Amino acid sequence: MAARSKLTAEEKHLQALCGLTPAAFDRLQAVVVPALLAARAARAQRPGRKRGVGGGRKRGLTPARELLLTLVYLRHNVAQAVVGALFGVSADTSENTFHEVVQVLRAVCPAQRWDAEKRWQKGQPSWQPDAGDRVLIDSFETPVRRPSLDGAQRRVYSGKKKRHTLKTQVVTDGQGEVLEIDPGHRGPTNDKQLYTASGVATRYPTPKKYADLGYQGATDLHLPHKKPKGGALTPEQREANRQHAALRVRAEHGIRRLKGFRILRDDYRLALGLFPRIAYVVAGLVHLQRIVSAASS
């Protein structure tokens, strides 16, 4: 928080625009731009290419502005025509640029905490869980457009949200900092089933793991007491539930950081199969921002 208060008005404007402080954007740009240029050079040399190297219409945006365009779309989730107009390009160019840069971002921005720290904190030990740590587990649902086919729409319809969604499981530490995510599951998938299939129990064998009653049935999780049918909780159970909720609410803080990029919060309009890649990129950006902020505080 101390580092954030020192930002100038222009720097705060950039953070509001793309979700990253200038320091984090510079770190990201230094990695993404060379990777983007290298990917384009590799495509230019691919076998069977008919167009000569350097042929075709010249790009209207520099790689740095292409990166910024992509971050703006992730942050605000507006139509590609709007984003393109902001950068002086067509909606088609904006969309093509977005998909190209997202593919590079997925490769250079690790979505898991320890991988991100290895990437952005070279020379420093990365976080590893131990028996004294706490791991918080929760999930959120991102609304999607109703599929046109009846079978497809039934597969993603969430009875809980009363609309079509994709579900993402989020694992945080005891302070609410995101450790990893498991995105892109159909809305009807229940939390306990998602947890069992995710392998979180294997990756975090020693820390105590906390979740809500949506994970009821998972034997290795600490869950709140459930009110018995026709009965009531004891004062001790109510107090234990209160303490459990006070701890677990920090997982909501991690989810809030992810949902700061509105593409995970508002109507998701891209292909459903691309959602995991988008979500992993957002998680990688959240890790980068946290690491850079911690280093500058």
Side-chain angles (χ1 to χ4, degrees), residues 5-6 47 55 60 77-78 113 115 144 155 164 168-169 171 175 179 186-187 195 208 226 240 244 254-255 263:
S5 64
K6 297 179 182 178
N77 194 29
V78 295
R113 173 173 173 171
D115 291 335
V144 299
R155 286 194 293 270
H164 304 86
T168 300
Q169 178 176 270
V171 181
Q175 303 305 314
L179 300 179
R186 298 170 180 173
Y195 170 76
K208 294 182 179 179
K226 184 178 180 180
H244 186 279
I255 292 175
I263 198 166

Side-chain angles (χ1 to χ4, degrees), residues 221-275:
L221 296 179
H222 292 265
L223 305 177
H225 297 283
K226 184 178 180 180
K227 182 180 177 181
K229 186 176 181 180
L233 297 176
T234 66
E236 293 77 12
Q237 289 174 327
R238 289 198 297 270
E239 175 61 20
N241 281 0
R242 188 194 67 79
Q243 295 178 4
H244 186 279
L247 171 65
R248 202 186 60 77
V249 72
R250 296 174 185 174
E252 299 291 345
H253 300 165
I255 292 175
R256 175 187 57 80
R257 294 183 182 95
L258 295 169
K259 286 187 173 181
F261 291 84
R262 299 182 71 96
I263 198 166
L264 298 186
R265 185 173 73 196
D266 298 339
D267 284 353
Y268 175 78
R269 300 186 299 273
L270 303 176
L272 299 187
L274 291 176
F275 183 83

Side-chain angles (χ1 to χ4, degrees), residues 16 33 38 64 66 71 81 86 92 97 117 176 192 195 205-206 223 240 244 288:
V33 170
E66 290 175 331
L71 295 178
L86 290 175
D92 288 343
T97 299
E117 291 179 348
K192 190 259 184 181
Y195 170 76
T206 53
L223 305 177
H244 186 279
L288 171 61

